[in-house]
Amino acid sequence: MAPGPIFERGLYAILDLGVVGDRDPQTVAGQLLAGGCVALQLRAKGVPREEIRPLAEALRRDTQNAGIPYFINDDIELAADVDADGMREIIYDQNVA
């Protein structure tokens, strides 16, 4: 028998700080959670780790309270520090040879 899904089918939301603009990212995340997303990923390209850490920690608490998985984009250290459920990284721009 094949293993079951890690999380339910539904909206896998990506909170991209480059798209959020002037809106408060934690408010936007709250709207995504209230809308019923089944997982949340934080994407903060180019934002220094120490600058994004408070938001990353707050989103960890919010996703735990909502009972959904939480992922950090491209920063394994931050993902480990905030006890995220996983980390997403693109490898096509790296030489794997």
Side-chain angles (χ1 to χ4, degrees):
M1 175 187 277
I6 295 172
F7 47 87
E8 296 179 36
R9 290 183 183 182
L11 176 66
Y12 179 115
I14 300 173
L15 181 67
D16 186 336
L17 299 188
V19 175
V20 169
D22 293 336
R23 294 171 289 175
D24 174 57
Q26 196 164 358
T27 299
V28 174
Q31 293 167 336
L32 292 167
L33 294 171
C37 68
V38 298
L40 182 68
Q41 175 182 322
L42 174 60
R43 185 175 192 269
K45 288 281 190 185
V47 180
R49 180 179 298 136
E50 292 312 313
E51 201 173 304
I52 196 64
R53 182 180 304 280
L55 175 62
E57 291 170 342
L59 294 178
R60 169 73 283 190
R61 288 188 299 273
D62 293 346
T63 54
Q64 283 179 323
N65 289 338
I68 65 167
Y70 176 51
F71 302 92
I72 300 283
N73 201 82
D74 295 334
D75 192 333
I76 196 165
E77 289 181 31
L78 182 59
D81 288 350
V82 302
D83 195 29
D85 296 298
M87 195 262 323
R88 191 238 182 231
E89 182 173 20
I90 297 176
I91 60 169
Y92 66 79
D93 58 353
Q94 298 175 3
N95 183 353
V96 294

